[in-house]
Amino acid sequence: MNVNQPPHLATPYMQPQPGGYQQPPYGDQTVPGGPQYPGYNGPMQGYPQHPPSQGPMRSQPTSGPPTTAGSAVPRDQLLYNQYGQGDVQNGPASLGNQMQRPPLNNQSYMQPGTLPQATSYQQYLPPSSSAQQITNQMMGMHIGGTATSAPPPTGLPYGAQNSLPPSSGSFPASGSNVYTPYPNQQSPSPMNLAQGMPPTSQPQVLPPQTQRFGGPPPPQRLPSPQAPGFGPPQSSAAPPSSYPSQLPGGPPPTSVQGPQLPGQHLPASSLTQTNHVPPSQSQTTMPGVSQGPPPMPPGQGGFPLQQNGSFGQVRGPQPGYPGNYPRAPNYGTQPGPQGPPAPPPPAQKRLDPDSIPSPQLNELQPQQKTRHRIDPDAIPSPIQVIEDDRNNRSSEPFVTALRGQVPPLVTTNFIVKDQGNASPRYIRCTSYNFPASSDMAKQSQVPLAAVIKPLATLPPEEAPPCVVDHGESGPVRCNRCKAYMCPYMQFIEGGRRFQCCFCSCVTEVPPHYFQHLDHTGKRVDCYDRPELSMGSYEFTATVDYCKNNKIPNPPAFIFMIDVSYNAVKSGLVALICEELKQLIDYLPREGNMEESVIRVGFVTYNKVLHFYNVKSSLAQPQMMVVSDVADMFVPLLDGFLVNVNESRTVITSLLDQIPELFADTRETETVFAPVVQAGLEALKAADCAGKLFIFHTSLPIAEAPGKLKNKDDKKLINTDKEKTLFQPQTNFYNSLAQECVAQGCCVDLFLFPNQFLDVATLGVVPYQTGGSVYKYTFFQLETDKERFLNDLRRDVQKDIGFDAVMRVRTSTGIRATDFFGAFYMSNTTDVELAGLDCDKTITVEFKHDDKLNEDTGALLQCAVLYTSCGGQRRLRVHNMALNCCTQLADLYRNCETDTLINFFAKFAYRGVLSNPTKTVRDSLINQSAQILACYRKNCASPSSAGQLILPECMKLLPVYLNCVLKSDVLQPGPEVSIDDRAYIRQLVLSMDVADSHVFFYPRLLPLTKVDPASDSLSVAIRSSEERLSKGEIYLLENGLNLFIWVGANVQQSLIQNLFGVSSFSQIESNMGALPKLDNPISNKMHAIITSFRAQRPRYMKLLVVKQDDKLEMLFKHLLVEDKNLNGGASYVDFLCHMHKEIRQLLS
């Protein structure tokens, strides 16, 4: 069932199901007359006014065996990280930096019979009817082998003993629920403690050894080490296999237990489990089996730690969360540790997990029964994964010598050393180990793709690609497939010939390129030549690689300014002209050139076009008007495109005069297509490539080619015709874009709309020419000036290539079949870009056309032919060698989730052009469920279907996928305009992995703990309202916007230092900038904001949001782990839904 379908289709969670059921109140108590609270993840009603006490822990809700120490463990001692300090990586575990978690003292959660103390909660915002639901599907509990077909006696006190054996698997103890058994015919299968996922409706027999005992656990079957699922620890690098009942030399395997039912004893089990056991440990490992946990002292009580990729109960504090903020609210109250037994729960009704609807935003009664809930800390945390990768992989350089290495995450700062494969800054792959056959690829459903950013900017510590000049003969290439010389070509016959690594054809080595081979068969000059030792390099191209076999002229920039009434009155025209006076001194240039060779031209327009002659010999600029927009031509050749330094005084004079010329205009209508045609004709006349910077304000309704009508129709949303909102109104712009590409004319569009503008149609030309669209809705000088000017400066100055053609070659067995991004394709192999800048990515999907060989792996070569901003023709080459495998486990071990999500988002955002958004969402959920079900079926050990088992490298796939599904393109709220959706759709299609990561899962940083004297930042927290504290200030970024959220209880001194006012109430409610104050805290905050903005390709607009302010909705919309108002599921709900989908596929 679709997770995102309209609410009215789904059965609301808490309304009676067929057969009906009821949830017991917290802790089997009735809550007489007390307030009922809404679901945990809805608009949370409040944060504690004062830090709650550190003492009482959320506890195991039943009595367990007494511990050695016999006392509760304080929070700071018990809460270990879910992972070792640095063992999780999105890839193969590197043995060098595995660390082991020290064993925990053998203490259980609480003394037997004690109850957790409830934390009292202040509410904030009234309970709303759209409160967050937690799926009741998660609540299934199974008692294997019991003959009872009725709930336990209702009169049992909390934790009273009865004779039921312990359940063989169950739910994470979050201290907030008591579980009730099912009759046999309805019992869901057991679940591992460390998992907390919905059970199935299949009964399962309990193994005979589940009896009560207080000593060490008896040997029981372990879940397979392969699945980083919910069992004991597993290394992330073992093929599927089964443990014997006990490993020689290892600890006794344990069956991971959850909280038992009222009146059950739990077997003691290991609390010390490491994620990766260092090889030095004296454990016997079986071939292909990862090592088990370290030996346990006998009698040690407690619960297993959570494993990599699993959902466990014992968790460390999430890095960066305020330590005194409780992880989850305990609604309701409880008697204290020595309090009276709880009153009996109301009679339970049966719950069928499969009758539960997929997560939806349902209309619910404001008063909700308290429900079982999954502890959000017990499911995979993006922050934890990001921090672990930073800790493990930022210190050492990433050396690209070995094929198929998974790079550090995009969120990790690392240095790359190119030793034969392209840097991950240029190419990232969804998997670094391709399946050997198409059958295996189909079975896994993992898309095989590369996200390529050919002209990516490198950090200053890394050298740019070397430029190789082979003179008039040009680069050495394979005779058959035309691949360029690279480190994987094999030289034979003493170096006189080479065998192509892509097509195996043998080619003569040109005499000037000959060199002898050493004893290993490598050329002796291999390390002197970048193309034989590096993954990325450039060739200077000969005249054969130029259009019409002619060396290109230097490119030109043409600035085309809308001077209609709106543009003049808003101050935009004056602002652009003032800025261009300085900006033309900063045009891009080749590294060693004194000045830029790019020429500039100027056009203004409303219903007609005005061209300007700015020839250096003129005393004043001359204007020429073309009013026949139906047949566009350029009225002057000489003096339109000029060198900046030669014509500076005339250009300055023109830019001073333009605002005065049109100051009294009454013309409100504009044209658009003729403006693009004019720029194109000017570049054709000058016989050069170039870029048009068009500043445009309104829907082009004036009589002219490309005239548009207003198609802003929100009634089409969620209908089969919704796709028309993303499609251009007319094909005119498609053919115009093709003409632009043929000339190398790239278009960048700056839009300043006050109403519907039809971005879907106007954006076609920038999109197909490799350009960009920038949008400033309701542009106001005082709030948007800074953002617009910074975007314009960066857009003009950034590295760019013109007239580019890109081709991706692959070794035998796979081929490039599909391409995503801002470009045009006239055939099936060549990606054509009128302009290619340092921010643009092209995503390429590969399919099998034959079997791959495990020994040789798979090779990719991306070659981009382009004209540099200095007018030189260049060839940039990136090579990537990948492994290939015949075992599915190897594929799943070498995937990169961030790149997968980047691919899925682009696939979906292209899909909305031809399919309803619901169909697109469903297909994404289905494909992801198939990926995870295939892993479960083929790589994880057999275990209860009630367990959700995720691959280590993909454990964040559900949370990130949910963010894509909830995005404004696929699931818009009523406040999202059609133009905004079209704009975001185009933007994401050419985003790189780092930008798509922060766009879909925004970064949320607490700021009160930041040390002004230190360079380091506090660790981010998870993107959920539940994590916010009233006494904290947070900074949130998603690559397009920055929010500063100020809690109502922030210290006055901090408010004074940051905002220059003495109290929370005096902070202006929609500030767009922080005041610059002379104190360390203010300076530090400005430095953080500046560094965040520098990391992103677009200048992020800042908005200060106060708690409970009306603008807080914008901020909360970006808290992506929560349910949103458009019907998007919360992370927990979506995880349940994915589990249900996986179970359906497996059954």
Side-chain angles (χ1 to χ4, degrees):
M1 181 183 287
N2 172 26
V3 70
N4 290 319
Q5 70 192 37
H8 62 270
L9 298 178
T11 324
Y13 272 146
M14 298 308 292
Q15 294 172 9
Q17 303 287 325
Y21 62 89
Q22 244 180 319
Q23 296 293 349
Y26 180 94
D28 279 341
Q29 303 169 64
T30 50
V31 188
Q36 302 286 319
Y37 292 87
Y40 84 99
N41 232 352
M44 259 233 350
Q45 307 274 30
Y47 308 124
Q49 300 275 10
H50 309 289
S53 66
Q54 294 279 336
M57 277 284 305
R58 290 188 301 151
S59 72
Q60 171 64 14
T62 51
S63 59
T67 62
T68 335
S71 61
V73 184
R75 169 190 294 259
D76 54 339
Q77 220 172 319
L78 189 77
L79 289 180
Y80 261 99
N81 266 351
Q82 150 196 23
Y83 315 113
Q85 281 306 302
D87 355 277
V88 180
Q89 325 182 119
N90 242 16
S94 103
L95 290 173
N97 47 16
Q98 290 172 2
M99 290 176 67
Q100 188 177 340
R101 168 82 51 222
L104 209 59
N105 289 341
N106 48 348
Q107 294 167 320
S108 73
Y109 279 31
M110 305 191 65
Q111 291 177 336
T114 60
L115 288 173
Q117 193 82 25
T119 313
S120 69
Y121 255 70
Q122 297 263 120
Q123 294 285 68
Y124 127 52
L125 285 176
S128 73
S129 61
S130 60
Q132 160 76 36
Q133 305 280 326
I134 276 297
T135 173
N136 298 298
Q137 170 183 352
M138 318 295 268
M139 301 319 141
M141 198 56 172
H142 170 66
I143 313 216
T146 55
T148 67
S149 61
T154 52
L156 280 178
Y158 189 95
Q161 300 194 8
N162 69 15
S163 56
L164 288 173
S167 73
S168 65
S170 40
F171 229 64
S174 66
S176 61
N177 357 49
V178 169
Y179 303 95
T180 339
Y182 292 82
N184 268 352
Q185 62 267 33
Q186 225 182 325
S187 56
S189 314
M191 297 165 43
N192 265 1
L193 153 78
Q195 145 236 348
M197 294 323 302
T200 61
S201 51
Q202 303 159 1
Q204 176 142 341
V205 182
L206 196 73
Q209 58 265 50
T210 43
Q211 61 223 350
R212 281 176 283 158
F213 58 90
Q220 295 177 11
R221 195 183 171 298
L222 269 180
S224 154
Q226 166 54 32
F230 308 113
Q234 299 129 9
S235 123
S236 55
S241 69
S242 301
Y243 267 121
S245 64
Q246 190 153 356
L247 280 181
T254 57
S255 163
V256 186
Q257 300 285 343
Q260 73 272 40
L261 296 158
Q264 288 179 313
H265 280 307
L266 276 172
S269 63
S270 162
L271 192 57
T272 42
Q273 299 192 354
T274 52
N275 299 312
H276 302 292
V277 182
S280 60
Q281 224 170 325
S282 57
Q283 280 200 5
T284 320
T285 42
M286 298 172 60
V289 176
S290 65
Q291 297 173 327
M296 281 278 307
Q300 177 160 337
F303 289 85
L305 275 178
Q306 173 168 348
Q307 300 314 312
N308 293 351
S310 69
F311 306 122
Q313 163 56 26
V314 182
R315 267 295 296 261
Q318 291 292 314
Y321 296 158
N324 59 7
Y325 188 63
R327 289 182 297 170
N330 288 334
Y331 298 118
T333 54
Q334 289 188 63
Q338 305 306 323
Q348 287 276 61
K349 297 207 175 114
R350 303 288 164 265
L351 167 64
D352 175 13
D354 291 316
S355 70
I356 290 174
S358 60
Q360 286 288 337
L361 188 68
N362 291 319
E363 289 307 314
L364 296 154
Q365 301 304 317
Q367 298 289 311
Q368 289 291 342
K369 295 252 189 322
T370 39
R371 283 175 305 259
H372 297 302
R373 52 163 293 175
I374 288 181
D375 179 2
D377 278 351
I379 53 181
S381 157
I383 305 303
Q384 186 74 50
V385 171
I386 288 167
E387 283 306 306
D388 286 344
D389 194 76
R390 274 195 188 130
N391 295 335
N392 288 334
R393 306 197 66 183
S394 58
S395 50
E396 294 293 312
F398 177 67
V399 181
T400 69
L402 296 175
R403 84 174 181 208
Q405 286 184 100
V406 182
L409 298 182
V410 286
T411 44
T412 300
N413 282 328
F414 59 99
I415 301 296
V416 180
K417 288 197 170 165
D418 183 343
Q419 292 188 2
N421 282 300
S423 160
R425 304 191 206 289
Y426 295 123
I427 303 182
R428 277 187 179 265
C429 297
T430 54
S431 176
Y432 290 81
N433 206 331
F434 275 23
S437 68
S438 61
D439 292 345
M440 190 173 156
K442 280 195 193 100
Q443 186 185 0
S444 75
Q445 286 287 313
V446 176
L448 305 175
V451 179
I452 305 173
K453 195 175 179 182
L455 301 186
T457 309
L458 301 182
E461 311 85 77
E462 294 177 24
C466 302
V467 180
V468 180
D469 189 351
H470 284 315
E472 288 184 13
S473 58
V476 178
R477 303 176 70 177
C478 166
N479 272 347
R480 184 198 287 158
C481 70
K482 302 296 182 211
Y484 294 90
M485 180 55 67
C486 73
Y488 302 102
M489 298 289 190
Q490 191 67 44
F491 286 88
I492 53 177
E493 296 178 21
R496 286 190 294 278
R497 306 169 90 187
F498 68 90
Q499 184 168 28
C500 177
C501 51
F502 295 96
C503 69
S504 304
C505 174
V506 174
T507 302
E508 293 281 338
V509 173
H512 71 89
Y513 197 70
F514 173 79
Q515 186 54 271
H516 295 286
L517 309 184
D518 64 12
H519 63 288
T520 64
K522 274 190 166 178
R523 284 172 55 122
V524 295
D525 65 349
C526 135
Y527 294 105
D528 301 331
R529 291 189 176 273
E531 73 273 22
L532 298 180
S533 57
M534 311 279 274
S536 302
Y537 41 87
E538 278 200 341
F539 293 114
T540 50
T542 58
V543 74
D544 304 336
Y545 292 87
C546 299
K547 203 182 276 182
N548 306 327
N549 286 359
K550 198 173 98 195
I551 297 290
N553 290 316
F557 281 180
I558 304 177
F559 299 94
M560 316 185 88
I561 305 166
D562 175 348
V563 288
S564 63
Y565 178 81
N566 279 346
V568 175
K569 279 291 168 278
S570 66
L572 181 63
V573 174
L575 180 67
I576 293 169
C577 292
E578 193 54 42
E579 179 62 26
L580 287 180
K581 285 192 245 176
Q582 277 80 48
L583 199 50
I584 52 176
D585 287 331
Y586 296 96
L587 302 177
R589 58 178 190 266
E590 291 281 340
N592 51 3
M593 287 186 172
E594 296 257 328
E595 61 179 57
S596 175
V597 296
I598 293 175
R599 292 167 295 165
V600 296
F602 300 89
V603 172
T604 56
Y605 67 93
N606 38 46
K607 267 166 66 168
V608 297
L609 276 79
H610 323 105
F611 293 80
Y612 296 94
N613 184 345
V614 282
K615 199 174 179 180
S616 55
S617 55
L618 296 174
Q620 283 294 319
Q622 296 172 346
M623 178 204 272
M624 298 186 182
V625 181
V626 176
S627 51
D628 181 9
V629 289
D631 184 17
M632 186 44 61
F633 66 98
V634 181
L636 74 162
L637 294 179
D638 190 25
F640 178 63
L641 295 178
V642 295
N643 177 290
V644 170
N645 284 343
E646 291 170 8
S647 299
R648 179 176 307 282
T649 50
V650 193
I651 291 172
T652 306
S653 171
L654 168 68
L655 294 171
D656 284 336
Q657 289 175 40
I658 286 175
E660 296 164 17
L661 276 171
F662 299 99
D664 302 322
T665 184
R666 286 281 168 269
E667 186 54 74
T668 56
E669 293 188 351
T670 57
V671 296
F672 182 74
V675 181
V676 179
Q677 287 172 326
L680 173 62
E681 292 302 323
L683 294 177
K684 277 185 182 169
D687 192 21
C688 68
K691 189 190 253 196
L692 313 181
F693 296 83
I694 303 179
F695 305 92
H696 189 78
T697 60
S698 59
L699 189 70
I701 53 172
E703 213 43 65
K707 174 186 173 181
L708 300 178
K709 359 185 240 299
N710 189 334
K711 63 163 194 179
D712 188 6
D713 187 0
K714 290 220 167 162
K715 292 197 287 294
L716 297 180
I717 291 174
N718 291 326
T719 69
D720 284 351
K721 289 190 173 171
E722 184 173 8
K723 59 191 177 199
T724 59
L725 300 176
F726 297 107
Q727 295 166 352
Q729 284 187 37
T730 157
N731 282 331
F732 179 83
Y733 288 95
N734 287 311
S735 43
L736 180 57
Q738 288 171 30
E739 287 181 54
C740 289
V741 172
Q743 183 54 43
C745 168
C746 173
V747 179
D748 277 1
L749 187 51
F750 292 80
L751 296 173
F752 306 87
N754 291 334
Q755 55 200 22
F756 179 73
L757 188 77
D758 202 356
V759 174
T761 305
L762 299 188
V764 166
V765 177
Y767 185 69
Q768 293 196 7
T769 59
S772 306
V773 177
Y774 297 84
K775 184 163 166 286
Y776 310 88
T777 311
F778 304 120
F779 177 82
Q780 289 181 303
L781 217 52
E782 57 278 9
T783 55
D784 297 303
K785 168 182 170 181
E786 190 185 9
R787 178 165 69 113
F788 163 57
L789 292 182
N790 277 282
D791 282 343
L792 177 59
R793 285 166 194 156
R794 190 171 188 281
D795 197 52
V796 167
Q797 295 174 40
K798 66 186 173 189
D799 284 340
I800 183 168
F802 297 96
D803 230 342
V805 182
M806 176 178 123
R807 183 176 284 193
V808 177
R809 293 178 173 84
T810 53
S811 54
T812 311
I814 53 168
R815 62 195 169 87
T817 56
D818 210 350
F819 300 83
F820 304 83
F823 52 75
Y824 171 72
M825 291 186 80
S826 56
N827 57 36
T828 55
T829 54
D830 293 336
V831 174
E832 298 175 44
L833 303 113
L836 172 62
D837 64 50
C838 57
D839 298 326
K840 292 288 182 301
T841 60
I842 293 94
T843 302
V844 186
E845 188 179 13
F846 303 98
K847 290 270 189 338
H848 287 74
D849 53 10
D850 202 349
K851 277 208 164 76
L852 289 170
N853 183 331
E854 273 194 280
D855 299 331
T856 53
L859 290 173
L860 320 174
Q861 183 179 79
C862 164
V864 183
L865 177 64
Y866 69 99
T867 302
S868 72
C869 50
Q872 286 189 328
R873 205 68 176 145
R874 292 274 180 84
L875 261 164
R876 180 166 291 200
V877 180
H878 299 296
N879 301 289
M880 177 70 86
L882 303 169
N883 287 326
C884 78
C885 57
T886 52
Q887 297 293 323
L888 281 164
D890 293 327
L891 164 66
Y892 282 102
R893 200 175 295 122
N894 290 281
C895 288
E896 207 204 11
T897 303
D898 294 327
T899 312
L900 264 176
I901 290 296
N902 180 284
F903 174 83
F904 276 145
K906 290 173 179 176
F907 185 79
Y909 281 18
R910 188 179 67 180
V912 296
L913 286 175
S914 45
N915 301 288
T917 50
K918 181 183 181 309
T919 310
V920 174
R921 290 199 304 264
D922 287 349
S923 69
L924 269 191
I925 292 172
N926 186 38
Q927 185 171 359
S928 302
Q930 284 182 319
I931 291 171
L932 298 175
C934 174
Y935 174 82
R936 173 64 190 264
K937 183 178 174 186
N938 298 289
C939 307
S941 64
S943 57
S944 145
Q947 279 181 275
L948 173 61
I949 300 182
L950 300 173
E952 174 56 27
C953 291
M954 288 190 197
K955 66 182 174 196
L956 298 181
L957 186 64
V959 61
Y960 290 160
L961 181 72
N962 190 33
C963 297
V964 175
L965 296 171
K966 293 199 293 191
S967 62
D968 289 338
V969 172
L970 295 182
Q971 196 164 34
E975 73 293 342
V976 181
S977 73
I978 289 166
D979 275 346
D980 279 334
R981 295 177 73 193
Y983 167 66
I984 294 297
R985 192 190 81 81
Q986 286 199 6
L987 194 60
V988 168
L989 278 165
S990 51
M991 263 188 191
D992 75 354
V993 180
D995 293 332
S996 66
H997 175 272
V998 79
F999 178 74
F1000 288 114
Y1001 193 92
R1003 176 157 63 150
L1004 182 60
L1005 278 188
L1007 295 173
T1008 52
K1009 307 277 191 306
V1010 171
D1011 177 5
S1014 153
D1015 282 344
S1016 62
L1017 292 174
S1018 50
V1019 176
I1021 65 168
R1022 288 168 69 170
S1023 203
S1024 167
E1025 186 179 344
E1026 190 176 49
R1027 309 287 174 176
L1028 304 180
S1029 160
K1030 272 185 169 180
E1032 180 64 270
I1033 294 179
Y1034 297 94
L1035 181 63
L1036 181 142
E1037 67 145 343
N1038 74 340
L1040 299 181
N1041 299 289
L1042 276 172
F1043 287 91
I1044 291 178
W1045 183 89
V1046 186
N1049 293 357
V1050 173
Q1051 292 172 355
Q1052 283 187 325
S1053 58
L1054 190 58
I1055 289 176
Q1056 183 71 52
N1057 281 329
L1058 275 182
F1059 301 101
V1061 295
S1062 55
S1063 71
F1064 175 80
S1065 58
Q1066 291 175 298
I1067 301 172
E1068 284 180 51
S1069 60
N1070 55 351
M1071 293 171 66
L1074 284 182
K1076 289 203 170 167
L1077 305 173
D1078 191 13
N1079 65 65
I1081 292 176
S1082 179
N1083 294 339
K1084 177 70 177 175
M1085 186 68 83
H1086 280 282
I1088 292 173
I1089 290 170
T1090 305
S1091 76
F1092 273 33
R1093 283 173 167 160
Q1095 291 166 26
R1096 306 291 167 212
R1098 293 177 182 232
Y1099 188 85
M1100 293 186 285
K1101 183 178 181 176
L1102 177 68
L1103 193 62
V1104 176
V1105 173
K1106 293 162 68 178
Q1107 182 178 337
D1108 294 341
D1109 192 61
K1110 58 182 185 294
L1111 285 172
E1112 198 182 27
M1113 290 312 296
L1114 294 171
F1115 172 78
K1116 285 185 182 174
H1117 185 62
L1118 298 179
L1119 299 178
V1120 289
E1121 288 198 23
D1122 297 341
K1123 181 168 284 188
N1124 71 16
L1125 295 177
N1126 315 339
S1130 71
Y1131 174 19
V1132 173
D1133 281 356
F1134 185 69
L1135 202 55
C1136 302
H1137 180 69
M1138 283 300 288
H1139 186 216
K1140 197 165 127 191
E1141 294 280 322
I1142 292 164
R1143 279 166 42 209
Q1144 279 171 359
L1145 287 170
L1146 291 174
S1147 60

